[in-house]
């Protein structure tokens, strides 16, 4: 039987199973056999219970079914002309790829899991607003490469490998936030030992388990504290944890301390009050700073949430910002620019961070070489720090 006859027989069988077929490309040869012209203008629109398949598209396009599969997932092995013809036919047939079947064949879910960790604060749990700002970029980056994003809130007690990769819910993990790093590091080491594909946002330092992307926290705090010194401030406090339990805050504390040292200013331990990133913690730290009775004329806060809460406490205490005390934060969350006065802060590029996290994780899943990345931090000067 000739190739044309095979095609005609296929079309006839399709007509029987579909109940009704509308065709623009079939005709009868003089010998009475069906003639098939080919091309998207001859696509069959199947009406009834039967859904079109990739085999329908292959028959109409005059290619193999594997070629259709490769074309519809954007494989570069298919020529642009062939891909365009296949896509046009698929559109005519209202054909959509069966993602579940495709994923089953490839062994991948085409899904990434974003795990957000809640920072504990008195009486409640809190998602850092900076991470929420990063979410849009991560979602957009996933969509650009044809991946879905699964978002989950975590407390660090789950078996992430079993819950996501072993159960085929996701191909890899993006980790945001962590709480106490001493506990978190153990979890990271377990993921590495089990071969989990993951990337995290955090402090970049030698010897850390897994792949990390982060901001240059030291340089950001160094620039912020230099700015306070340039405003004539000499007794500058630091509000934020300054231990290895919170490495990003510790890096910011080191930047603050180094800026004081280069200006020959004293780094007074009495002007450092520990706090994690929450407004409740910021309020507590500011009240504790005032209660100590040490004179201060500037505050370098380890996060915007801490800084904004400290500004309110200072106002309640009758201290003017920036007249009496200059205040600088870190993160540039949306509320920073709407504060009164607007908060001077260090910007972390959330959009770039989201894109890099997705790209790095996909490279990890593909087994490609990858290294830790450090993004620059930028000081944005607003009304909270400039002396009148």
């Amino acid at each position: 039987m000739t190739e044309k006859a095979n095609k005609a027989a296929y079309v006839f069988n399709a007509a029987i199973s579909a109940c009704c077929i509308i065709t623009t490309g079939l005709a009868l040869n003089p010998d009475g056999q069906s003639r098939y012209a080919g091309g998207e203008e001859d696509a069959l629109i199947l009406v009834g219970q039967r859904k079109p398949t990739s085999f329908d598209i292959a028959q109409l396009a005059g290619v193999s079914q594997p070629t259709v599969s490769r074309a519809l997932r954007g494989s570069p092995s298919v020529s642009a002309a062939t891909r365009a013809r296949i896509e046009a036919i698929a559109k005519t047939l209202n054909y959509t790829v069966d993602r579940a079947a495709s994923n089953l064949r490839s062994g991948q879910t085409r899904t990434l899991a974003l795990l957000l960790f809640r920072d504990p604060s008195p009486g409640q749990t809190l998602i850092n607003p900076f991470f929420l700002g990063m979410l849009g970029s991560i979602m957009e980056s996933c969509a650009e490469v044809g991946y879905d994003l699964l978002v989950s809130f975590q407390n660090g007690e789950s078996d992430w490998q079993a819950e996501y990769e072993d159960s085929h819910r996701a191909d890899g993990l993006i980790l945001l936030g962590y709480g106490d790093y001493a506990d978190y590091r153990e979890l990271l080491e377990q993921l590495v030992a089990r071969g989990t594909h993951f990337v995290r946002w955090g402090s970049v330092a030698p010897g850390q388990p897994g792949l990390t992307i982060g901001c240059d926290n030291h340089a950001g705090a160094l620039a912020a504290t230099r700015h306070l010194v340039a405003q004539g401030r000499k007794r500058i406090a630091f509000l934020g944890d300054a231990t290895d339990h919170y490495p990003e805050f510790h890096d910011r504390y080191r930047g603050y301390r180094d800026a004081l040292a280069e200006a020959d200013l004293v780094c007074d331990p009495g002007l450092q009050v520990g706090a994690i990133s929450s407004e409740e913690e910021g309020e507590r730290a500011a009240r504790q700073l005032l209660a100590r009775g040490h004179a201060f004329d500037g505050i370098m806060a380890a996060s915007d949430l801490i800084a904004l809460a400290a500004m309110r406490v200072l106002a309640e205490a009758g201290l003017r910002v920036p007249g009496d005390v200059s205040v600088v934060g870190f993160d540039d969350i949306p509320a920073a620019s709407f504060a009164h006065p607007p908060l001077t802060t260090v910007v972390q590029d959330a959009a770039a961070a989201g894109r890099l996290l997705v790209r790095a994780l996909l490279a990890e899943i593909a087994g490609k070489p990858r290294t830790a990345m450090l993004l620059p931090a930028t000081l944005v000067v607003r009304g909270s720090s400039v002396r009148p």
Side-chain angles (χ1 to χ4, degrees):
M1 185 178 291
T2 66
E3 181 180 354
K4 289 184 178 179
N6 282 329
K7 290 181 177 179
Y10 173 85
V11 171
F12 178 77
N13 290 331
I16 296 300
S17 60
C19 300
C20 178
I21 294 179
I22 302 173
T23 174
T24 62
L26 288 175
L28 291 179
N29 285 326
D31 59 2
Q33 291 185 326
S34 296
R35 173 169 55 82
Y36 178 81
E40 67 266 18
E41 69 275 9
D42 298 304
L44 303 179
I45 303 176
L46 305 182
V47 182
Q49 299 301 314
R50 183 177 179 276
K51 293 183 179 181
T53 70
S54 59
F55 290 96
D56 295 313
I57 298 172
Q59 189 75 23
L60 293 166
V63 298
S64 66
Q65 187 275 336
T67 298
V68 172
S69 296
R70 288 194 297 270
L72 294 180
R73 67 170 181 261
S75 171
S77 65
V78 180
S79 70
T82 300
R83 181 182 297 109
R85 186 167 75 254
I86 290 171
E87 289 175 346
I89 293 171
K91 182 177 181 180
T92 301
L93 293 177
N94 293 321
Y95 174 82
T96 56
V97 176
D98 186 338
R99 287 284 297 274
S102 178
N103 294 340
L104 184 62
R105 288 191 297 269
S106 67
Q108 293 187 331
T109 66
R110 302 288 294 182
T111 298
L112 303 181
L114 172 62
L115 308 188
L116 279 162
F117 295 85
R118 292 172 285 199
D119 292 330
S121 58
Q124 64 176 358
T125 56
L126 178 72
I127 302 301
N128 190 321
F130 171 71
F131 294 144
L132 297 180
M134 198 185 293
L135 178 60
S137 176
I138 293 174
M139 293 175 64
E140 183 178 9
S141 297
C142 286
E144 288 174 353
V145 293
Y147 270 74
D148 291 328
L149 183 68
L150 172 64
V151 180
S152 176
F153 296 116
Q154 295 288 323
N155 55 17
E157 298 176 356
S158 301
D159 184 340
W160 303 329
Q161 170 67 27
E163 188 171 345
Y164 294 98
E165 288 204 41
D166 289 348
S167 64
H168 302 291
R169 295 178 66 196
D171 298 328
L173 312 177
I174 298 173
L175 311 179
L176 299 182
Y178 48 81
D180 190 325
Y181 184 72
D183 298 329
Y184 182 60
R185 184 183 176 96
E186 294 183 11
L187 298 175
L188 298 180
E189 290 172 344
Q190 293 173 13
L191 293 179
V192 171
R194 298 177 67 178
T196 306
H197 302 105
F198 74 93
V199 61
R200 59 178 286 265
W201 175 264
S203 175
V204 177
Q208 289 180 328
L211 178 60
T212 302
I213 295 174
C215 167
D216 194 338
N217 295 288
H218 176 272
L222 182 69
T225 309
R226 283 173 174 169
H227 167 69
L228 291 174
V229 171
Q231 297 300 309
R233 304 306 189 181
K234 300 184 183 301
R235 297 280 296 171
I236 303 171
F238 182 88
L239 302 186
D241 192 278
T243 71
D244 290 336
H245 290 275
Y246 292 86
E248 289 171 286
F249 279 16
H250 191 205
D251 289 344
R252 295 169 193 178
Y253 176 73
R254 290 191 303 103
Y256 151 84
R257 184 187 60 198
D258 291 348
L260 294 181
E262 70 179 22
D264 293 324
L265 296 176
V266 175
C267 184
D268 185 350
L271 295 181
Q272 188 272 320
V273 184
I276 63 172
S277 189
S278 75
E279 293 189 73
E280 292 82 1
E281 284 283 286
E283 180 177 337
R284 178 195 58 76
R287 294 190 187 284
Q288 185 174 341
L289 177 65
L290 289 170
R292 289 179 181 178
H294 297 285
F296 64 93
D297 55 10
I299 291 178
M300 171 68 234
S303 77
D304 287 348
L305 290 174
I306 295 173
L308 294 171
M311 287 169 59
R312 290 197 298 271
V313 171
L314 293 175
E316 292 172 4
L319 295 173
R320 297 168 301 158
V321 175
D324 299 315
V325 182
S326 294
V327 179
V328 177
F330 206 111
D331 288 338
D332 195 29
I333 63 174
S337 61
F338 295 104
H340 182 71
L343 179 64
T344 293
T345 187
V346 177
V347 177
Q348 302 185 81
D349 192 339
R355 290 191 297 269
L356 288 174
L357 285 166
V358 173
R359 292 173 188 171
L361 180 55
L362 293 178
E364 168 84 3
I365 293 170
K368 297 178 181 178
R370 73 284 186 279
T371 58
M373 287 176 274
L374 198 62
L375 297 180
T378 305
L379 179 68
V380 174
V381 177
R382 300 190 181 113
S384 68
S385 62
V386 180
R387 296 182 74 167

